[in-house]
Amino acid sequence: MLVHALSAGVLSSGADAIDAGLVSTPTLARGSRDFDCGAVVTASHNPAPYNGIKLWNPDGMAFDEAQQREVEAALDASHVALPAWDRIGSVSSRPDLVERHVEAILKDVGRVNIRVAVDCGCGATATITPFLLRQMGCDVIAINAQADGHFPGREPEPTEENLHPLGATVRAVKADLGIAHDGDGDRMVAVDREGRFVGGDVLLALFARREVRNGLVVSIDASMVLEDLLPKAKIWRTRVGDVYVASELKRRSAEFGGEPSGTWIFPKVSLCPDGVYAAAKLVSMVAERPLETLVAGIPKYPVLRGSLPYEAPKRPSIESRLDAALRKLAPDVSTVDGWRVQFDDGWALVRFSGTEPKIRILAESRDERRAKEIYSTVLSSAKGAAS
């Protein structure tokens, strides 16, 4: 329904609608370079009912806030200028975007011969990742590889609790690696050959260590391990959201960007988070050294997460009290997205949830006892502000 409505709206404006069919989001974003704009209907990593429309620029970057406001203003306008009936756009199709995406990745990554289990989550990567990896030379065992928007295999977000079947499959078939995507393929996480989950912060560090020489862009909630691994690189932190990471990558000409959620942006190929390309890159890395060996080279710092409820109507006053309380804890407080309170031996992030009336709290340190102290201190401040 949304696809047809979107196409009709495009036609009614006088523009042409080119239907790419069922493709992953990074496939569509790459294909957008030949057009003025790309649009994908997806719920991304969210459950099945939450579909929407995401818009892409020709360079692969999603529409930023200014562009989104422009679209919203046009939607709110009482009158929209439309062409005459004989000046509406036409419909055509572009069935070759998957093939072109695969060819571009093969040219960049090359051939690899390992055994890989791939969990497509019944999402759009069922159209590309298993086929790409086979063409790379891998022995591929695919699960949840039938595209089905009801997501019968698992929930589309590739969290550790959703990926137990992938871990079991990896162990059963003695695969070297397990790859998992979200519903639209802009995210990618992994499991090692023992079926152990390898999540966002670790993969972010692995990719950054491989890709970065001078500059890295990450979201505000990324681990402090990055500063320890890349002491000579400049690290910029943005609001949570791939469009903010992409925008800063473009502005800073940095070599890599990502988020602990599993979104990886390789600006040399696209400013869209490309879970398919990231899968191919990780496969090539694992062909050199087992994933568990790579992971062993990344320091593991204790992280504590939690939340507390608040009364939504009181948010403005809570924000004011919370800002004052957190600034008393340390002189270095970043307000890029919420409050990131930096200590000499750790940090904490306090953010209002974007979907429910909760204040989310994260704390990290190199020492577990210190991480608990930071978390407890920040939680106490948040409780006081919310009461």
Side-chain angles (χ1 to χ4, degrees):
M1 182 185 70
L2 287 175
V3 169
H4 287 299
L6 175 60
S7 296
V10 169
L11 298 179
S12 71
S13 72
D16 296 331
I18 296 88
D19 185 0
L22 176 63
V23 296
S24 74
T25 287
T27 300
L28 187 284
R30 282 198 184 220
S32 299
R33 64 187 58 177
D34 295 334
F35 303 94
D36 295 309
C37 173
V40 60
V41 174
T42 178
S44 189
H45 58 282
N46 296 302
Y50 294 94
N51 278 289
I53 299 167
K54 194 165 187 177
L55 301 169
W56 298 93
N57 291 293
D59 61 3
M61 192 176 89
F63 273 29
D64 61 21
E65 284 187 325
Q67 290 175 301
Q68 292 176 33
R69 284 194 295 269
E70 186 177 350
V71 172
E72 290 167 357
L75 291 172
D76 291 338
S78 57
H79 175 72
V80 178
L82 297 174
W85 68 271
D86 56 350
R87 293 291 185 269
I88 63 170
S90 62
V91 177
S92 60
S93 63
R94 277 294 296 269
D96 64 335
L97 294 191
V98 170
E99 181 181 354
R100 292 174 62 195
H101 194 182
V102 168
E103 288 175 352
I105 295 174
L106 289 173
K107 184 177 179 180
D108 187 84
V109 178
R111 292 186 61 81
V112 177
N113 182 20
I114 64 172
R115 173 170 280 196
V116 186
V118 179
D119 182 353
C120 299
C122 298
T125 54
T127 66
I128 185 168
T129 301
F131 306 101
L132 164 68
L133 298 183
R134 287 194 184 102
Q135 290 187 52
M136 286 175 60
C138 294
D139 179 12
V140 178
I141 298 89
I143 65 173
N144 296 320
Q146 74 284 14
D148 185 336
H150 293 88
F151 301 110
R154 63 164 170 84
E155 288 297 309
E157 187 170 8
T159 60
E160 182 172 5
E161 53 267 30
N162 288 337
L163 298 182
H164 294 304
L166 175 61
T169 300
V170 168
R171 292 191 298 270
V173 303
K174 294 182 170 54
D176 300 292
L177 172 68
I179 293 289
H181 291 294
D182 66 337
D184 70 330
D186 61 358
R187 295 188 179 190
M188 187 281 297
V189 297
V191 301
D192 66 17
R193 58 186 174 183
E194 298 299 323
R196 292 173 295 213
F197 179 73
V198 180
D201 269 318
V202 175
L203 288 177
L204 178 52
L206 287 177
F207 283 133
R209 190 168 61 177
R210 174 66 69 102
E211 300 290 325
V212 174
R213 295 294 176 269
N214 301 305
L216 170 68
V217 178
V218 295
S219 53
I220 194 73
D221 56 341
S223 172
M224 63 189 289
V225 73
L226 296 168
E227 278 83 0
D228 291 350
L229 281 177
L230 303 167
K232 296 181 180 179
K234 175 66 176 177
I235 300 176
W236 292 277
R237 294 179 181 272
T238 72
R239 291 176 61 181
V240 174
D242 62 81
V243 66
Y244 304 111
V245 175
S247 179
E248 195 72 2
L249 276 169
K250 187 175 181 179
R251 189 160 76 96
R252 302 292 186 179
S253 298
E255 294 127 322
F256 177 70
E259 298 182 280
S261 61
T263 55
W264 320 118
I265 304 177
F266 301 82
K268 65 181 180 181
V269 296
S270 176
L271 287 171
C272 172
D274 192 337
V276 181
Y277 181 81
K281 292 288 284 187
L282 185 62
V283 165
S284 67
M285 292 164 64
V286 171
E288 299 171 4
R289 298 174 67 193
L291 183 55
E292 57 269 27
T293 304
L294 294 171
V295 169
I298 304 297
K300 297 177 180 63
Y301 298 156
V303 176
L304 284 81
R305 292 180 172 86
S307 64
L308 71 152
Y310 71 94
E311 295 181 47
K314 296 181 179 180
R315 175 167 171 167
S317 60
I318 293 173
E319 282 185 355
S320 178
R321 293 194 297 269
L322 190 55
D323 181 75
L326 294 175
R327 291 183 184 279
K328 292 178 181 178
L329 301 180
D332 186 357
V333 179
S334 169
T335 55
V336 167
D337 190 352
W339 295 264
R340 181 175 169 123
V341 185
Q342 188 68 48
F343 302 93
D344 292 337
D345 52 358
W347 61 280
L349 178 66
V350 182
R351 295 175 66 241
F352 284 89
S353 169
T355 57
E356 52 189 330
K358 287 185 177 181
I359 300 172
R360 302 197 183 280
I361 301 168
L362 182 154
E364 180 186 40
S365 176
R366 298 177 185 87
D367 175 74
E368 186 171 1
R369 188 173 74 173
R370 179 57 177 150
K372 291 179 179 178
E373 289 177 353
I374 293 173
Y375 181 82
S376 177
T377 300
V378 172
L379 177 62
S380 177
S381 295
K383 285 181 175 178
S387 61

